[in-house]
């Protein structure tokens, strides 16, 4: 889902897979996650990972249209 807001764009991607563990989110070998975090940092955006075992994962990416504001990275894993 892609939404345009007054000062940002929000992309939400979700699946119904096995979920992702906290260890996988923090594993330096998880290059896809690392790449997402690096790009969001560069764009001064926010990324949120929400996951529940055997229920899937939701990733929300919010990019400001004005890149002079800061961003953050958040992860929530429910096991």
């Amino acid at each position: 889902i892609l939404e345009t807001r007054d000062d940002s764009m929000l992309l939400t991607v979700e699946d119904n897979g096995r979920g992702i563990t906290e260890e996988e989110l923090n594993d330096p070998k998880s290059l896809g996650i690392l790449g997402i975090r690096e790009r969001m940092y560069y764009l001064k955006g926010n990324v949120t990972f929400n996951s529940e075992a055997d229920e899937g994962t939701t990733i929300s990416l919010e990019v400001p249209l004005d890149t002079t504001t800061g961003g953050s990275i958040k992860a929530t894993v429910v096991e």
Side-chain angles (χ1 to χ4, degrees):
I1 301 169
L2 181 62
E3 299 175 43
T4 303
R5 298 181 173 181
D6 290 337
D7 58 353
S8 66
M9 291 185 69
L10 176 66
L11 174 65
T12 303
V13 179
E14 57 186 56
D15 69 24
N16 60 353
R18 65 173 181 82
I20 188 167
T21 66
E22 189 170 350
E23 291 81 22
E24 291 170 321
L25 278 172
N26 296 313
D27 185 347
K29 295 177 186 171
S30 295
L31 298 179
I33 293 170
L34 180 62
I36 291 169
R37 289 178 166 159
E38 288 175 344
R39 285 168 179 81
M40 294 308 291
Y41 178 80
Y42 175 77
L43 294 170
K44 298 183 180 173
N46 300 310
V47 59
T48 304
F49 298 89
N50 290 304
S51 187
E52 189 169 344
D54 299 319
E55 296 294 324
T57 302
T58 301
I59 303 174
S60 298
L61 306 155
E62 186 170 15
V63 178
L65 297 177
D66 175 4
T67 58
T68 60
T69 59
S72 65
I73 298 171
K74 301 173 189 159
T76 304
V77 176
V78 179
E79 296 186 39

